[in-house]
Amino acid sequence: MLNPVKVGVLGLGTVGCGTVNVLQRNAEEITRRAGRGIVVTHGSARDLAKPRICQTSGMKLTQDPFDVVNDPEVEIVAELIGGTELAKELVLKAIEQGKHIVTANKALIAIHGNEIFEAAQAKGVMVAFEAAVAGGIPIIKAIREGLSGNSIEWLAGIINGTGNFILTEMRDKGREFSDVLAEAQELGYAEADPTFDVEGVDAAHKLTILASIAYGVPLQFEKVYTEGITKITREDVQYANELGYRIKHLGIAKRQENGIELRVHPTLIPHKRLIANVDGVMNAVLVKGDAVGSTLYYGAGAGAEPTASAVVGDLVDVVRALTSDPENRVPHLAFQPNALSDVAVMPMEDIETSYYLRMTALDRKGVLAQVTSLLSDNDISIEAIIQKQVGDADSVTIVILTHDVKEASVNQAIQNIEALEGIEGQVMRMRLENLKG
Ligand code: HSE
């Protein structure tokens, strides 16, 4: 296998360190996917003495990001410092030196993207920016690749995690705006200048990028109508609720006969819509294509590792393009053909989950006790139980929810229960998944 690709990370803060950690933790699988290892060999941070959430030993570290950009060893520059002016200078310098760029910087792309892409094209290098929109959700890839057969009619997204976190906490816990914002800053969700989050600027940067990808128009941030969440009161949230709506801060791009709508503002959404139930720091983007209809993409929109997930996905993309057969840039099964593994598929009997069991029992003394003792004999613990009379018949319906247990134990218990004299017919079984995030 070829030598690992050397990456220089500009900015070892929340996202930079998240990227280093994900690359280190998942090194083996990432190599199998990319066809080459990906190693952060160089890093820059404004203050190297500051404590970090990642392991940087073995890296060439500097306080001057230009050292990284100028180092001939570095093949890919991951720009994770944020801001527009210094970031632009660094990215253009790196492009000039033939380096590929991965960035999470939505402001940079929304404001200087047209110029950066032109420079990259002239130099024949890649610029990847999946992490710039909706954190860990691969929305750029979904629109640019997965939906490329569609004419996009509209898209609407909750694309600022901090704002959504604030609105959710105000609604659910009646918390004060400033108090929730301070927490979002502590958790590393908010922008360096948090007015970008609450005044809608960050969402407008992201909407600019989404609209360009959806409609093939140049990036034009200055044309986005932008309104933030600062004027919303707790009462507004309550009134909307009473009327059957949730308030969400949305970025909307819509194709009309005479142009494209580009707008960011608080919006009432019927509370039954899936997107109305996207809470906390989570993001979601609804995309309506003429062929596919409505599609919804949901996930963490900010934070160290969700954003790193997108950064690393872009690094893998760049490395695949550098390394593999250009006809098969993305391997058919995601991993390189010679790196497929033979991990076994588990037999159903070994799978552990919870169960819903429904059975009909004769309404006689001791039947329920027999059922519960058979469950216990098979190591099955009960979470909930309901017993209901069925009309005026001499039988009852028993419904049981179990805690997590192996399928094999449930199979055995069902067989034993069905053999009881007091049980009529078969036990109906459904598996229950909590699908906690
Ligand atoms: N401040 C941004 C947000 C970070 O809260 O969504 C992710 O772009």
Side-chain angles (χ1 to χ4, degrees), residues 7-25 39-63 68 80:
V7 177
V9 170
L10 309 182
L12 291 166
T14 305
V15 180
C17 266
T19 300
V20 169
N21 287 337
V22 171
L23 281 172
Q24 286 172 353
R25 190 174 67 239
V39 182
V40 178
T41 48
H42 297 63
S44 78
R46 238 181 333 205
D47 178 5
L48 285 176
K50 239 170 112 175
R52 320 227 150 260
I53 56 160
C54 60
Q55 184 54 256
T56 55
S57 55
M59 279 182 211
K60 225 186 220 183
L61 294 176
T62 171
Q63 296 198 159
V68 176
L80 307 172

Side-chain angles (χ1 to χ4, degrees), residues 302-378:
E305 293 217 354
T307 313
S309 163
V311 172
V312 174
D314 274 350
L315 287 170
V316 170
D317 258 5
V318 172
V319 172
R320 276 175 176 157
L322 294 179
T323 309
S324 39
D325 169 4
E327 302 286 317
N328 289 297
R329 190 178 61 80
V330 180
H332 296 111
L333 294 179
F335 290 83
Q336 301 296 332
N338 57 2
L340 293 179
S341 94
D342 56 359
V343 176
V345 175
M346 282 170 66
M348 194 61 188
E349 294 243 301
D350 286 351
I351 281 166
E352 261 187 47
T353 183
S354 319
Y355 293 81
Y356 163 101
L357 304 174
R358 176 172 54 74
M359 62 204 79
T360 307
L362 294 177
D363 192 6
R364 290 213 198 107
K365 195 166 58 177
V367 178
L368 183 58
Q370 282 178 314
V371 170
T372 54
S373 91
L374 279 177
L375 290 175
S376 147
D377 292 349
N378 285 287

Side-chain angles (χ1 to χ4, degrees), residues 356-362 367-368 370-372 374-375 382 385-388 390 395-402 413-414 416-418 420 422-429:
Y356 163 101
L357 304 174
R358 176 172 54 74
M359 62 204 79
T360 307
L362 294 177
V367 178
L368 183 58
Q370 282 178 314
V371 170
T372 54
L374 279 177
L375 290 175
I382 295 174
I385 190 160
I386 302 172
Q387 180 176 310
K388 280 221 159 103
V390 190
S395 53
V396 290
T397 297
I398 301 172
V399 174
I400 294 171
L401 293 187
T402 75
I414 289 178
N416 297 348
I417 292 170
E418 285 175 349
L420 288 173
I423 295 294
E424 293 176 337
Q426 291 188 323
V427 175
M428 154 68 172
R429 160 245 308 262

